[in-house]
Amino acid sequence: MRISAACMLALFFATTSFAQPAKPVVYVLSTGGTIAGSGSSTTDLSNYKPGAILGEQLVKAVPQISVIADVRVEQIVNVISSDITIDNLLTLAKRIHAIAKETPDVAGFVVTSGTNTLEETAYFLNLTVRTDKPVVLVGSMRPSTAISADGPLNLLNAVRTAISSDARGKGVLIVLNDEINAARDASKTNTLRVETFRSPELGLLGYVDEDQVSFYRSPTKRHTLNSEFDVTLLTQLPRVTILYSYIEPDATLIQAAIKSGAKGIVFAGTGNGALSIAEETVLKEVIAMPANTRPVLVRSSRTGNGRVTATTEYEAFGMIPGDTLNPQKARILLMLGLSRTSDPKELQRMFAEY
């Protein structure tokens, strides 16, 4: 009996198994925010409920993700990012550590977040996550129910970045609006526009386009695997306060911060971290306090761009210049630094290296 070529081909495919290549494993850790927000109408872009949707729903709403990755979703918390806590950040860092240890073949991590404090979450993880696997922060400026919601594509691009071999070792990344920024450099710069995350003069790291994930530079400051900060056993961090400078500031807030238990104060100074005579007058009283009772003082700037450099005037107060870190990121670094030491020279070293 003759068997036709077509039958032989059909028999071959029926009896031969073809192993499909395993898709890279990505963990999506969800924390809420606008990307998980829901409004009463498709044009409701401001009055919506953040964190109304769970991470599982976010991923399922973008079926293209399952084509490129084996995604495993965990809900860490579900809040507007303005309400996220240091305890939540510690939980995030510890969970990423645990997953990296339990699942060594994990390709990367995506953290969905509200955008209001996303930059602080990203920088905290940049300093505390001890892995070279990509950790990507993603959010959106429009809720999931809005016309032209930006969350779905942002999430897909975040997963694409997390599985990119070129993203490995570059520290924690922020991916929105098809752009990749470094956690240390980027900040939210606009209240409503989708292109809100910018790294002022230092610039973005790359793009996520339809054809590929492209990087053009790498961060140079210490981060992730090369960081000295270990939060494994920490349950809280020292309290650090930010005080904003302006014309005729209320300098009594400095003493109020100390009385409330602040171990460090970051000044959002004018220009190159400058303070007023009123603030300096109170600081003279502060530096007269016993060394073990006075807070560590850091100068940052309210300008949003540029370095804060050391000056003779402020070195006399023992103040640490914050370099290019904005006040909220300087606070994150100071809290982590104070969890290790209160030595001003060591803390100054950290601000120079991170």
Side-chain angles (χ1 to χ4, degrees), residues 1 19 28 36 43 68 72 133 159 177-178 250 256 277 335 337:
M1 181 177 66
V28 173
T43 56
I68 62 172
R72 304 169 189 181
K133 302 287 182 70
V159 173
N177 198 42
D178 308 334
D250 184 356
I277 292 176
M335 285 193 294

Side-chain angles (χ1 to χ4, degrees), residues 44 61 68 78 176 184 205 214 224 252 259 277 282 301 327:
D44 196 348
I68 62 172
N78 205 15
L176 282 90
R184 184 189 185 278
L205 300 183
S214 304
T224 55
T252 62
K259 289 179 181 178
I277 292 176
V282 175
S301 176

Side-chain angles (χ1 to χ4, degrees), residues 200-339:
E201 292 175 343
L202 299 179
L204 51 81
L205 300 183
Y207 301 105
V208 188
D209 291 316
E210 184 178 1
D211 61 332
Q212 66 182 38
V213 176
S214 304
F215 284 91
Y216 297 93
R217 72 177 185 90
S218 298
T220 59
K221 295 290 188 177
R222 287 178 67 178
H223 59 73
T224 55
L225 202 59
N226 294 317
S227 175
E228 67 196 85
F229 303 113
D230 185 356
V231 299
T232 306
L233 301 178
L234 294 181
T235 57
Q236 59 184 1
L237 293 177
R239 181 183 298 179
V240 174
T241 295
I242 298 174
L243 296 181
Y244 198 89
S245 295
Y246 46 89
I247 294 175
E248 293 189 358
D250 184 356
T252 62
L253 294 177
I254 299 173
Q255 291 289 10
I258 297 171
K259 289 179 181 178
S260 71
K263 302 301 180 184
I265 299 176
V266 175
F267 289 90
T270 56
N272 184 23
L275 303 179
S276 67
I277 292 176
E279 291 164 309
E280 291 181 6
T281 299
V282 175
L283 287 182
K284 290 177 181 178
E285 301 174 8
V286 173
I287 63 173
M289 297 168 58
N292 62 340
T293 63
R294 63 175 180 255
V296 175
L297 308 174
V298 172
R299 293 166 47 235
S300 185
S301 176
R302 71 180 197 179
T303 61
N305 201 27
R307 294 181 63 224
V308 170
T309 59
T311 66
T312 302
E313 177 185 5
Y314 294 115
E315 283 184 336
F317 290 109
M319 301 187 78
I320 298 171
D323 197 71
T324 60
L325 293 176
N326 62 25
Q328 54 269 35
K329 290 183 184 178
R331 174 177 175 261
I332 293 292
L333 178 55
L334 184 55
M335 285 193 294
L336 287 168
L338 286 170
S339 72

Side-chain angles (χ1 to χ4, degrees), residues 166-212:
D166 290 338
R168 192 161 183 165
K170 288 185 171 62
V172 174
L173 306 171
I174 296 173
V175 172
L176 282 90
N177 198 42
D178 308 334
E179 297 173 337
I180 308 169
N181 281 283
R184 184 189 185 278
D185 302 334
S187 291
K188 186 174 183 178
T189 63
N190 195 289
T191 56
L192 297 172
R193 304 286 81 81
V194 295
E195 65 276 15
T196 183
F197 279 92
R198 288 281 182 263
S199 299
E201 292 175 343
L202 299 179
L204 51 81
L205 300 183
Y207 301 105
V208 188
D209 291 316
E210 184 178 1
D211 61 332
Q212 66 182 38

